[in-house]
Amino acid sequence: MADYQVDLEVDFANEDETGYIWVFLDEAREPERIVPGAVLTLREGEDLAMGQVIDLVPAADGTVVHIELLPGAIEEYQAAIERLTARHA
């Protein structure tokens, strides 16, 4: 598998009481990009997905990022973007 530079490495099963996946902000490749509403690339091992930041919550150990997984495979998002850019070329 290619070594993609995703926004966040996550555990897709790591949900808290909110029902969202969570990870600490300091684990992000570029923490300044992690803001509510941002769409991110996510990876767990070899599995890739898209997610959207729900909120940032201060915690004793750092800032928690809550993420909602977006539907569909990451390749579907890439194909849609390629179609869009081909129409505007």
Side-chain angles (χ1 to χ4, degrees), residues 18-38:
T18 65
Y20 294 115
I21 294 170
W22 71 273
V23 65
F24 285 111
L25 178 60
D26 65 358
E27 295 177 25
R29 186 167 55 95
E30 296 180 62
E32 65 277 5
R33 292 184 182 259
I34 311 302
V35 296

Side-chain angles (χ1 to χ4, degrees), residues 61-84:
D61 296 335
T63 300
V64 171
V65 180
H66 285 121
I67 302 163
E68 179 176 24
L69 282 180
L70 297 177
I74 198 167
E75 295 82 8
E76 293 172 11
Y77 290 89
Q78 181 178 356
I81 291 167
E82 288 172 1
R83 287 191 305 274
L84 176 67

